[in-house]
Amino acid sequence: MTLVAENLVKTFPGVRALDGATLRLAAGSVHALLGENGAGKSTLIKILTGVHRPDGGKIVLGGAELHLNGPLDAQHAGIGVVHQERNLIPGFSIAENIVLHHLPRRFGLVDRARMRAEARRCLGLLDLDLDPDTPVSRLSVAQAQLVEIAKALSVDSKVLLLDEPTASLTGDEADRLYGIVRRLRDDGQAVVLVSHKLEEVFAVADTVTVLRDGRSVAEARPLAGYTQDQVVDLMVGRAYSSVRLADRHVDLRAAPALRLDGVSTARGHRDISLSVRPGEILGLYGLVGAGRSELAKALLGLDRITAGTVEVRGRPVRIRDVGDALRRHRIGYVTENRKEEGLFLDQPITRNVGVTVWRRMARAGLVTDRAERRLVAGYTDRLGIRISSPSQLAGLLSGGNQQKVSLAKWLAADCEILIVDEPTVGIDVRTKAAFHELIAELAGTGLALLLISSDLPEIVTLADRIAVMNDFTLRGELVNDHDYARMSQAIIRLIHMGSRPAGDETA
Amino acid sequence: MSTGTTTAGRTGSGGRFGRVTVRPEFTLAVLAVAGFVALAVATDGNLLTRGTLDAFFRFLAVPIVIGLAQMVVLAIGQMNLSVGTLTGLCAMVAAWLMLEAGLPAPLAVLAALGVGLAAGLVNGLLVVITRINGFVVTLATMTIIEGLRYGVNGPDTFQGYSQGLRDLGTASVLGLPVVFVFALAVAALVALFFGRTVAGRQLLATGGSPFAARLSGVSNDRSIVIAHGLSGLLAGVAAVITVAASGSVNSSIGDDLMLPSFAAPIIGGVALTGGVVSVAGTCLAAFLVRLVDVMQAQFDINPRWIDLIVGAVVLGAVLLGTVRQKLSKGSP
């Protein structure tokens, strides 16, 4: 065994991200690390690369126990990583990027000749014929991806971690990348592959570890012993004690409040069709980067819709900007990124809630603090927002209360259609349950809700129907029967299984 | 309030008095009073003689207004480097209209305000249309305005314009110079703008978080144009005060206003990143800078030292702001 990470435990406030996960890697093999969103894959990778320190368990590399105090330690130990998001500096050359962390120096100055030579060596390992002096900004996505791998190899790695390496690659580019992965394996590297594309995993990986709820439910098993279905079962097959919310009645004959028909966007969505009725919650599930928030933003007029029709309350509309969406069409958007996009952290709660309705509140052009406080008082009661005073700064609230403030501003604006994006990310379990009840309650009052979430239990608990998005297209739509085991498997199958057109799988 | 931090005050855990004392404006007010008393004592009461006191407040008017002109742009997280030269241009235009074009003073005053507003709107539109950073845009327009200002009358000085306007510049009401009272009135209007009007609040929303503002239906472009336009208008106001109070103008007027325009809001607790303004803080800080000025005159200190002191105080204030922010973030 090259690397053994045993019984890793990692707790974040409110979440036990890893609860005794074990990963065993052998030299000269490709090891798949699988699990659904939130199973603990990224936490495990961050521990192996020294970003996080484990609360329990140990890491043994080549027989010696390893204590990683930072990413640099991991590099020195020979653990290279290519993260899901790009980590190259666009203005620098390929060579500069590859040796960024250990620039060769001579007389205190950068030794450019040695830098180029080192870069050529790393590129050579991958059979890449690129000029080391080319700026990274001139490379294609696939080339940049390969340069990142070259960079990971430059630290003389024994272990190479690849996190969703093909997320932004085309089929051919992915094939080429996996060709290189096989070669690295044959040269004796231990490669860890995290990917949600099961076909690719089965084509390239030798062994597999499956994480579920922070635990490894399959440890370093030969992949050949499993079918894709069995792996999916392992990933989601947990006894989830779902909160049964009170039944809501959705009038199925009601005309949709929001309907999309064959919508394509400048961001790359193709042929999106969905509809939400008043009082209904449509869940929009997908992995991070599937294009869900981007679709919401296009609906608000922040991105161009290039084809198809959007209908609000039965009438085809063209939404120019958020103001238009809000004031004319009564569409609100509770962003997933509440700290940066949802709140004014340095401003009082009153202003955070009032921002959408100042125009309506103004008397003779002036907005009084008293009117604003009255408005806020109504929502703090209704949503159960815990604040010490309405003039408290939003930045000083807890995550759950911040999210409620972010929600209150849309309710204040009398929205009839609400897009709620990852409402409970980073919120502790108890507040989460309360938030779910709140969302169901809002739907009960006749609001049409589009719930974007990567949290399977959340979607299965709340949604009436579930649309599954992957790679900027809808893969299918399911009627939710709130049976967690059945729904979660159906959803995961829609995402992980091949690339059949959406229509085939509509339940 | 033993833990007299900003955070405690803002969460409202302290009493009403506690809330007042932890505000940065309170510190500034204490400093201002203490500094004033100390200077009065140190000059054997000379500061309190009628003439000195009158001059003190008369020449406080422009620093207050020019500080506010910078503050409205800082509110959206940008800067306006052209406020100083724009003040000069507006003053030159007003004087030229009265002396050369023979316009009555009220019309010349309106024209000066119009030029300021127009130049500010141009700044704002340039930022919005070109998407170039406001710092660079106003750096360029500053230089252009400098040329225009010189073009009005070359190196010559305008003097002997409207007696009425000059009288107003030296007149007093309730023992205070009219121009100073006027500046305070302008400050009150600016405070009303940010506290009560939709546009003012939207400006702060844009400055606080352009992303959140956009997603809340606020037009950031509109905020940028309004902020720069208002900044230009306030530079016009400062020009009118200058024309009235100084009795003569030439093409170098406004050159020494850049540092004071930043000094007042920054010492006054306005966030450089935008979203937080303080009209009272800006006025108090202008008062403090004015104290330093008078100290220089009273004690015959080399003027170079004054720039050094003001510069150091600005740096210190920024540093203090950063520390304060860290403290309030560290204790959620």
Side-chain angles (χ1 to χ4, degrees), chain A residues 302 337 340-342 344, chain B residues 205-206 208-217 220:
Chain A
L302 296 175
N337 190 350
E340 275 163 35
E341 298 188 339
F344 308 101
Chain B
T206 293
S209 168
F211 309 106
R214 194 172 67 151
L215 284 181
S216 303
N220 289 325

Side-chain angles (χ1 to χ4, degrees), chain B residues 9-326:
Chain B
R10 283 181 175 172
T11 51
S13 57
R16 179 164 282 271
F17 180 72
R19 227 173 298 162
V20 171
T21 50
V22 295
R23 290 179 66 106
E25 289 87 349
F26 180 79
T27 321
L28 284 171
V30 170
L31 275 176
V33 172
F36 191 79
V37 170
L39 195 59
V41 171
T43 56
D44 295 328
N46 187 20
L47 182 65
L48 301 176
T49 59
R50 178 139 195 91
T52 321
L53 205 59
D54 187 73
F56 182 91
F57 284 108
R58 189 141 47 91
F59 292 109
L60 180 53
V62 167
I64 285 178
V65 176
I66 205 75
L68 294 171
Q70 193 64 257
M71 188 191 81
V72 295
V73 184
L74 290 175
I76 57 163
Q78 295 198 358
M79 294 181 186
N80 184 359
L81 299 184
S82 68
V83 280
T85 52
L86 183 55
T87 300
L89 175 71
C90 294
M92 290 295 279
V93 166
W96 184 84
L97 285 175
M98 286 185 282
L99 283 174
E100 308 286 327
L103 244 57
L107 283 183
V109 164
L110 280 181
L113 297 179
V115 168
L117 178 64
L121 290 175
V122 167
N123 274 339
L125 287 171
L126 279 175
V127 172
V128 167
I129 293 166
T130 63
R131 296 281 157 210
I132 298 172
N133 188 303
F135 183 92
V136 178
V137 166
T138 56
L139 181 66
T141 52
M142 173 184 86
T143 317
I144 293 169
I145 292 170
E146 228 167 52
L148 289 175
R149 189 183 55 179
Y150 186 81
V152 174
N153 203 30
D156 298 336
T157 300
F158 281 128
Q159 50 194 359
Y161 43 76
S162 163
Q163 185 61 47
L165 194 58
R166 279 183 289 147
D167 284 347
L168 205 60
T170 49
S172 291
V173 57
L174 302 171
L176 289 169
V178 168
V179 286
F180 174 68
V181 175
F182 180 62
L184 287 186
V186 169
L189 283 177
V190 172
L192 183 75
F193 173 74
F194 281 112
R196 291 276 184 272
T197 68
V198 176
R201 285 162 174 250
Q202 289 185 337
L203 239 63
L204 289 176
T206 293
S209 168
F211 309 106
R214 194 172 67 151
L215 284 181
S216 303
V218 173
S219 162
N220 289 325
D221 288 352
R222 190 162 160 263
S223 291
I224 291 171
V225 174
I226 290 177
H228 278 283
L230 195 55
S231 178
L233 181 63
L234 287 169
V237 171
V240 170
I241 294 174
T242 307
V243 171
S246 66
S248 73
V249 290
N250 63 30
S251 66
S252 72
I253 268 196
D255 279 349
D256 51 356
L257 286 180
M258 169 106 91
L259 181 63
S261 83
F262 283 106
I266 291 173
I267 299 173
V270 173
L272 281 176
T273 45
V276 180
V277 293
S278 169
V279 171
T282 301
C283 294
L284 286 167
F287 182 93
L288 280 173
V289 174
R290 181 85 188 104
L291 268 182
V292 177
D293 262 347
V294 173
M295 189 175 75
Q296 178 258 328
Q298 291 287 328
F299 297 109
D300 221 11
I301 306 168
N302 187 334
R304 283 160 206 272
W305 285 102
I306 298 307
D307 282 350
L308 190 138
I309 293 172
V310 173
V313 171
V314 169
L315 263 181
V318 174
L319 214 64
L320 203 71
T322 321
V323 171
R324 209 157 45 204
Q325 225 167 23
K326 285 233 175 79

Side-chain angles (χ1 to χ4, degrees), chain A residues 19-80:
Chain A
D19 191 12
T22 297
L23 184 71
R24 298 170 197 281
L25 303 179
S29 87
V30 177
H31 191 103
L33 178 60
L34 304 176
E36 57 144 307
N37 292 336
K41 287 172 302 186
S42 353
T43 310
L44 180 55
I45 286 193
K46 282 182 177 155
I47 285 177
L48 290 180
T49 52
V51 178
H52 291 326
R53 298 181 68 173
D55 300 327
K58 59 177 182 179
I59 306 169
V60 178
L61 181 69
E65 193 171 342
L66 207 57
H67 294 282
L68 302 172
N69 289 319
L72 224 54
D73 280 2
Q75 282 180 17
H76 290 315
I79 300 175

Side-chain angles (χ1 to χ4, degrees), chain A residues 152-454:
Chain A
L153 293 175
S154 81
V155 295
D156 227 357
S157 63
K158 303 181 199 69
V159 177
L160 181 63
L161 309 173
L162 301 173
D163 190 359
E164 297 283 358
T166 60
S168 47
L169 301 188
T170 65
D172 283 352
E173 291 166 343
D175 285 346
R176 181 141 177 254
L177 183 125
Y178 284 127
I180 289 167
V181 166
R182 287 193 190 91
R183 260 226 353 261
L184 292 171
R185 172 193 61 191
D186 296 342
D187 291 348
Q189 287 259 342
V191 182
V192 178
L193 174 66
V194 178
S195 173
H196 73 271
K197 297 178 181 166
L198 282 189
E199 286 174 345
E200 293 179 5
V201 168
F202 272 80
V204 74
D206 307 304
T207 49
V208 63
T209 291
V210 179
L211 292 185
R212 190 204 303 154
D213 297 333
R215 257 171 266 210
S216 29
V217 290
E219 276 175 25
R221 301 291 183 75
L223 195 56
Y226 291 102
T227 63
Q228 293 195 20
D229 275 336
Q230 284 170 325
V231 169
V232 170
D233 287 347
L234 276 173
M235 282 159 66
V236 297
R238 67 173 142 171
Y240 171 67
S241 52
S242 73
V243 193
R244 229 13 226 249
L245 294 169
D247 280 335
R248 282 175 296 109
H249 173 71
V250 180
D251 184 359
L252 293 175
R253 289 159 308 165
L258 174 71
R259 199 169 81 88
L260 273 61
D261 190 15
V263 165
S264 300
T265 70
R267 283 296 292 271
H269 296 90
R270 294 176 305 282
D271 199 24
I272 306 280
S273 300
L274 51 82
S275 66
V276 202
R277 296 182 188 91
E280 189 182 34
I281 302 176
L282 174 69
L284 186 54
Y285 182 84
L287 300 169
V288 175
R292 296 161 303 158
S293 307
E294 290 81 355
L295 179 68
K297 287 183 180 172
L299 280 178
L300 296 172
L302 296 175
D303 252 315
R304 217 152 38 81
I305 289 176
T306 51
T309 52
V310 177
E311 283 177 20
V312 176
R313 286 179 287 279
R315 287 220 320 273
V317 295
R318 256 201 117 67
I319 299 171
R320 285 172 300 137
D321 53 38
V322 184
D324 200 30
L326 174 66
R327 285 182 278 274
R328 188 123 59 100
H329 306 298
R330 303 242 170 273
I331 304 178
Y333 173 64
V334 183
T335 170
E336 62 177 320
N337 190 350
R338 62 175 169 267
K339 280 198 192 295
E340 275 163 35
E341 298 188 339
L343 293 172
F344 308 101
L345 297 174
D346 290 334
Q347 293 185 25
I349 293 159
T350 43
R351 294 208 170 189
N352 272 285
V353 176
V355 61
T356 50
V357 278
W358 284 333
R359 282 199 202 179
R360 218 180 54 209
M361 288 168 70
R363 295 276 170 273
L366 301 182
V367 182
T368 62
D369 286 342
R370 190 165 356 122
E372 217 171 40
R373 271 201 300 275
R374 225 176 10 239
L375 174 86
V376 171
Y379 290 103
T380 46
D381 288 351
R382 186 169 156 203
L383 303 182
I385 308 178
R386 294 241 299 269
I387 58 175
S388 57
S389 114
S391 55
Q392 190 177 4
L393 298 188
L396 299 173
L397 295 173
S398 71
N401 282 315
Q402 282 184 346
Q403 190 68 307
K404 286 180 181 173
V405 169
S406 179
L407 184 63
K409 111 179 135 184
W410 298 109
L411 299 180
D414 275 339
C415 284
E416 291 168 11
I417 301 163
L418 202 55
I419 306 173
V420 188
D421 198 348
E422 302 283 8
T424 57
V425 163
I427 288 178
D428 68 87
V429 181
R430 217 149 44 103
T431 317
K432 200 166 168 173
F435 218 89
H436 287 165
E437 275 171 33
L438 178 63
I439 289 174
E441 231 176 83
L442 289 175
T445 64
L447 226 61
L449 276 154
L450 181 60
L451 171 70
I452 298 176
S453 179
S454 313

